[in-house]
Amino acid sequence: MEIIQDIDRWLATGCNYEAGLQLYLKHGTTTFLKEYFATSRSSFAANKLKTELLKLRDAAGAVTPAPRENLLAPPAKEKATEPEAVQRCRQRIKDLLPIISTMHNDLWHAKTDEERERLAAQLVEKSQQRAELWRMLDNYEKTGVLPGVPNAERLQASRVQLIEAASPYEIAQRILTVRSQISKAKDRMEQADTDEKREKYLIKYQALTAELEALKKKRDELPKS
C-alpha cells in the first residue's frame, strides 16, 4: 500500500521531521497529534512522530519488518515551499492556540453565568474555526485544493460590513432578530440527527452570536439622544 511504502521510504532516508509531519498530516487520524506535531520540534515530538507513523504502518497491514532508520543516508530533498494559502492556514492554527488557551483560563475564573456563557460561545467558535482549518489542510493534502476562509469567519466578516453601514433603528431591529435566530439555530443544532447538520447549525450559531456581540457594541457606541 502507498502509506506503507511512504513510511518505509521515510525511515530509510533519515526520518526527516518535516517529511514525517507531512506523512502524518496526510495519513494520520488524530487532530490533536496533527496540531502537536505541526507546532513542536522537540526530540520528544520526533520520537512520538516516529512511533505514530509505525502504528499507522502496522494498521495498514504491513507484513515485513520496518526498515531500520538510516542515519547516514543523505537528507531527503526539502519539500517545495507551500502555497501562500496553505502557509496562512497553518499560521491561523498557530495563532488560535494561545487565544483558545486564554479563553479556557478565563472561563474557569468567570464570576457570573452571563460571562461564562459569553466565553463558552467564543471558545466553541474559535475551536470550530481551528477544526475547520485542519480539515482544509487535510483536504489540500488529499486533493490539492487550496484552503480558503473558514465558513464562520466568512459569515462574520460579511455581517460586520452590514453592521457598519446600518442606522441606529436598523441596529435595534437587527438585535431583536438575531436573538431569535440564535435561539432557533441552537435548538436545531441540538436536534440535528447527523454530524453534518449539527456542524451546519453550529457554524450559523457561532456567526450569529458574534454578530449579536458586534451589534451591541455598535449600539453602545452610538451617540445618546
Side-chain angles (χ1 to χ4, degrees):
M1 294 180 65
E2 179 187 0
I3 181 175
I4 297 174
Q5 294 174 347
D6 287 347
I7 293 174
D8 284 355
R9 189 180 304 111
W10 178 74
L11 289 167
T13 54
C15 296
N16 174 271
Y17 189 88
E18 295 302 323
L21 170 61
Q22 294 306 317
L23 280 176
Y24 195 83
L25 291 177
K26 181 179 181 181
H27 299 293
T29 58
T30 305
T31 300
F32 170 77
L33 286 177
K34 290 182 180 182
E35 180 178 299
Y36 173 70
F37 294 143
T39 56
S40 302
R41 293 295 185 278
S42 65
S43 58
F44 177 84
N47 290 331
K48 178 67 173 174
L49 176 60
K50 181 179 177 180
T51 298
E52 293 301 320
L53 287 174
L54 288 172
K55 288 180 182 178
L56 290 175
R57 184 182 185 275
D58 292 339
V63 294
T64 58
R68 295 181 62 183
E69 179 182 347
N70 185 358
L71 297 177
L72 299 178
K77 291 183 179 179
E78 291 188 5
K79 191 173 182 180
T81 302
E82 290 182 320
E84 185 178 348
V86 176
Q87 295 180 44
R88 286 199 304 267
C89 191
R90 294 195 192 283
Q91 187 59 50
R92 284 207 298 272
I93 291 173
K94 292 181 181 179
D95 292 342
L96 282 170
L97 288 176
I99 296 174
I100 290 173
S101 177
T102 299
M103 285 182 174
H104 274 293
N105 183 65
D106 291 345
L107 184 62
W108 178 261
H109 293 95
K111 292 182 172 56
T112 65
D113 289 341
E114 181 179 1
E115 185 180 4
R116 274 188 288 273
E117 183 176 355
R118 176 179 60 80
L119 288 167
Q122 293 176 353
L123 182 57
V124 170
E125 171 195 328
K126 297 301 181 185
S127 298
Q128 182 64 21
Q129 286 179 13
R130 185 179 60 172
E132 191 175 356
L133 288 164
W134 274 121
R135 282 195 296 273
M136 288 193 291
L137 280 180
D138 287 341
N139 187 56
Y140 167 72
E141 292 292 337
K142 294 175 182 176
T143 67
V145 176
L146 293 174
V149 179
N151 290 337
E153 289 184 12
R154 186 163 53 249
L155 287 171
Q156 290 165 23
S158 64
R159 285 181 164 89
V160 167
Q161 293 175 346
L162 292 175
I163 292 170
E164 289 301 318
S167 67
Y169 174 78
E170 289 171 334
I171 290 174
Q173 291 300 308
R174 183 62 185 163
I175 287 176
L176 295 176
T177 301
V178 168
R179 282 175 172 159
S180 175
Q181 291 177 337
I182 288 174
S183 179
K184 290 179 181 178
K186 183 178 180 181
D187 289 342
R188 290 175 180 172
M189 179 178 64
E190 293 173 348
Q191 296 168 10
D193 54 3
T194 67
D195 289 340
E196 184 178 355
K197 290 181 180 178
R198 191 173 298 107
E199 182 177 335
K200 171 186 174 182
Y201 289 117
L202 175 58
I203 290 173
K204 185 174 182 179
Y205 171 80
Q206 292 168 349
L208 288 168
T209 301
E211 181 184 359
L212 180 60
E213 291 299 318
L215 283 164
K216 291 194 293 186
K217 180 179 178 182
K218 183 69 173 180
R219 178 196 60 191
D220 294 342
E221 291 174 350
L222 293 172
K224 306 299 181 182
S225 56

